[in-house]
Amino acid sequence: MLNKSLDDEEGLSFLDKLARTTGRRTFLQWSGMTLAVAALGCSDDNDDGGTGPGTGEVNLGSGDTGILNYAYALEQLEAAFYTQVVAGAYFTGAPTAEQTILSDIKNHEVIHREFLKAALGTSAIADLTVDFTSVNFADRNSVLTTARTFEDLGVSAYNGAGKLLADANNLLAAGKIVSVEARHAAAIRDLITPGSFAANDVVDANGLDSPARTPAEVLQAADTFITTTINASGLPTA
Amino acid sequence: MKDTTIFGSLDPDLTKRVLSRRNAVAETGKMAGALAMASMPVAFGIMAKSAFAQGTALPAEILSVLNFALTLEYLEDEFYRTGIEARVIPSADLPIFESISAHETAHVGLLTGAISSGGGTPLAKPTFDFTAGGLLPDPFSSPNYPIFQALSQGFEDTGVRAYKGQAGALMSNDAILTTALQIHSVEARHASAVRRLRGQKGWITGNSSGVDVDAFQAIYNGEENTTQGGVNTAQFGTGDSASEAFDEPLLRSEVETIAGFFIVS
């Protein structure tokens, strides 16, 4: 996928392009994860709530707590993004209908974030430091395509993580959130290109929202927007 | 979700079977593109077989849930195909409903194949009456396009709630749970688009149906919930935004009551 010729550039998804442009930092981050795994059992674990905002690394933890922290990290990212969107120049000058959609979504993402934080209690990871320098908040296309990336990524993340949850109540909570993310994705997509709410770049020939991504795939795609290193080594994989 | 007795009946061989099934699913993904041009029913049959068939019967509870989902997909599939054939949809909106219709047809094929290869018998397609026994005007008659749109919204929002309510019952089978979740979010994309086409928000505020027909209220009752896992989520925004931020499940019996309005036999 990464060896496509420049002629195919437009055929690459935004996520593919991200993976290309962020290859170096991703490599460093995942190297860190490997080290963390290797050090398990002999390290003096200081990841549990010991990191403050913007510092070093957060460890998502294991089991359902780890998956909920993973969701919490994504909701932090989305909430931070839309908070900047509604304070930006594009939003200020946008038609009322678009303002309503974006401010609604911002409110939903903040609620998702705060709900997960409350549900996780003392197990919640610290606040992430985000990096939106790649986004032009004065530009409609920049804002909306980034929003589309986050919403589609969120849907694929929850769809991929469902099977990793052990507690049916947690699965239900995730299910209550993911369909709202899909509603967001559809609305944002239709703002960009009318009729693309479930286009074949996100829905496959079987009518399935596709792909359902693993946490590793999602975190790699989100990496360019997150400064804090996220240690996902404890997450369940099956 | 209330029925989680499935956890007590986990089979020690399950993990092995799930793992081998997962490999089959990965292979199916690669095949999907190549098969896209083949005739649809044949392609879905093949994929469903390779994805789900391991010579092992699925548990009765999972087969039952899949047949429940199949009934809803039959309803949606026939609704959209009939609407498109009847030319009730203005040309500007036609691509939206053609896209939705294609997904529902695919879901029918996927579920039918999964049930068959899991050792079950797919339920036959019911006979539907989209006037709900004369309660509604004929949605396929061109002056009644608003009725068609309202029914579409109701079916999609019901579908979202129905799949959400059954996720817990599918937890013993990773491949089927993931597939169900992937259908669930597509139904939510549909719902958002149709709601917005009708001038509604893409998300559900309180328990408002946005449809001026009393019978639709059953589809939205309970959506006003703002307490999640014991947490009052309205404290993080407003009651409206907190209700919008979480979609609520429906029990199977509640969905069957709603679908029952449109099933003759």
Side-chain angles (χ1 to χ4, degrees):
Chain A
M1 191 185 311
L2 299 186
N3 294 327
K4 284 195 176 186
S5 71
L6 286 176
D7 291 346
D8 289 337
E9 187 72 22
E10 289 184 356
L12 288 174
S13 74
F14 183 63
L15 292 178
D16 293 328
K17 289 177 192 169
L18 274 182
R20 282 161 48 127
T21 56
T22 62
R24 183 182 155 274
R25 197 150 64 86
T26 301
F27 171 75
L28 293 174
Q29 184 162 338
W30 289 94
S31 301
M33 284 185 52
T34 308
L35 290 173
V37 172
L40 274 182
C42 60
S43 71
D44 179 13
D45 188 286
N46 59 1
D47 293 322
D48 293 336
T51 52
T55 64
E57 175 181 296
V58 293
N59 189 332
L60 299 179
S62 60
D64 278 18
T65 297
I67 297 298
L68 294 179
N69 260 325
Y70 163 58
Y72 177 44
L74 295 178
E75 298 294 350
Q76 284 194 45
L77 178 65
E78 288 189 302
F81 170 71
Y82 287 106
T83 298
Q84 287 204 35
V85 167
V86 301
Y90 151 62
F91 178 87
T92 304
T96 305
E98 293 186 15
Q99 287 183 332
T100 300
I101 289 170
L102 291 164
S103 63
D104 277 3
I105 296 177
K106 176 245 176 189
N107 291 337
H108 301 163
E109 306 299 4
V110 167
I111 290 167
H112 291 165
R113 180 191 69 198
E114 294 305 310
F115 160 70
L116 286 163
K117 184 177 185 180
L120 282 157
T122 56
S123 299
I125 56 170
D127 293 351
L128 301 180
T129 300
V130 294
D131 176 1
F132 296 131
T133 51
S134 62
V135 182
N136 178 355
F137 288 95
D139 180 68
R140 180 179 190 268
N141 189 58
S142 178
V143 167
L144 293 183
T145 55
T146 307
R148 178 181 62 191
T149 296
F150 285 156
E151 299 298 343
D152 285 337
L153 186 64
V155 171
S156 73
Y158 280 102
N159 281 347
K163 69 179 182 184
L164 304 178
L165 289 165
D167 185 322
N169 292 316
N170 293 333
L171 177 62
L172 177 59
K176 290 181 178 200
I177 293 173
V178 65
S179 55
V180 174
E181 302 290 351
R183 291 174 188 272
H184 294 167
I188 294 290
R189 286 179 150 266
D190 276 350
L191 287 184
I192 298 169
T193 306
S196 69
F197 58 97
N200 60 12
D201 61 324
V202 281
V203 179
D204 71 14
N206 279 326
L208 302 180
D209 220 306
S210 189
R213 289 188 174 88
T214 64
E217 290 167 340
V218 170
L219 291 171
Q220 185 169 358
D223 177 67
T224 191
F225 301 105
I226 302 174
T227 305
T228 311
T229 301
I230 297 176
N231 184 336
S233 61
L235 293 187
T237 55
Chain B
M1 288 305 301
K2 306 241 159 149
D3 186 359
T4 53
T5 53
I6 193 168
F7 298 126
S9 60
L10 282 180
D11 177 333
D13 287 338
L14 190 70
T15 310
K16 274 184 236 163
R17 279 188 275 128
V18 163
L19 283 174
S20 53
R21 246 184 236 119
R22 192 173 300 144
N23 292 337
V25 169
E27 283 173 26
T28 308
K30 287 174 206 151
M31 286 171 58
L35 288 170
M37 299 309 290
S39 84
M40 301 276 273
V42 174
F44 290 129
I46 291 169
M47 283 188 277
K49 269 188 188 169
S50 63
F52 295 111
Q54 298 291 312
T56 311
L58 289 169
E61 183 178 5
I62 286 185
L63 288 170
S64 173
V65 170
L66 295 179
N67 260 320
F68 163 65
L70 175 60
T71 301
L72 289 181
E73 299 290 355
Y74 275 141
L75 182 149
E76 291 183 311
D77 180 40
E78 179 160 310
F79 175 74
Y80 292 114
R81 282 190 296 104
T82 307
I84 290 166
E85 287 164 15
R87 300 175 180 271
V88 65
I89 305 162
S91 58
D93 295 348
L94 192 56
I96 294 169
F97 289 106
E98 285 177 336
S99 171
I100 294 175
S101 179
H103 297 155
E104 310 302 4
T105 302
H107 295 165
V108 168
L110 198 62
L111 290 168
T112 302
I115 293 164
S116 296
S117 56
T121 304
L123 290 178
K125 183 167 74 67
T127 300
F128 296 109
D129 169 11
F130 292 103
T131 72
L135 183 69
L136 301 170
D138 177 5
F140 307 120
S141 172
S142 60
N144 297 330
Y145 178 54
I147 301 292
F148 179 88
Q149 289 180 304
L151 279 172
S152 170
Q153 176 191 311
F155 292 152
E156 298 298 337
D157 279 332
T158 299
V160 173
R161 300 190 72 175
Y163 278 96
K164 198 187 318 296
Q166 295 307 309
L170 302 175
M171 286 182 84
S172 66
N173 188 309
D174 283 0
I176 288 180
L177 171 62
T178 301
T179 300
L181 291 173
Q182 290 175 286
I183 295 176
H184 170 247
S185 58
V186 169
E187 303 288 344
R189 288 177 187 268
H190 294 170
S192 177
V194 174
R195 294 177 63 85
R196 295 186 60 245
L197 190 63
R198 294 189 65 249
Q200 307 286 311
K201 291 185 175 187
W203 24 94
I204 301 165
T205 308
N207 66 0
S208 170
S209 72
V211 178
D212 190 20
V213 176
D214 287 347
F216 276 71
Q217 193 53 49
I219 299 171
Y220 296 92
N221 286 339
E223 283 286 2
E224 70 277 14
N225 178 37
T226 56
T227 301
Q228 305 295 344
V231 177
N232 165 22
T233 56
Q235 69 181 304
F236 307 129
T238 64
D240 279 354
S241 57
S243 72
E244 292 168 356
F246 293 82
D247 281 338
E248 299 297 320
L250 281 175
L251 296 173
R252 178 168 172 169
S253 58
E254 293 168 330
V255 175
E256 286 170 341
T257 298
I258 293 165
F261 281 116
F262 304 97
I263 295 175
V264 176
S265 61

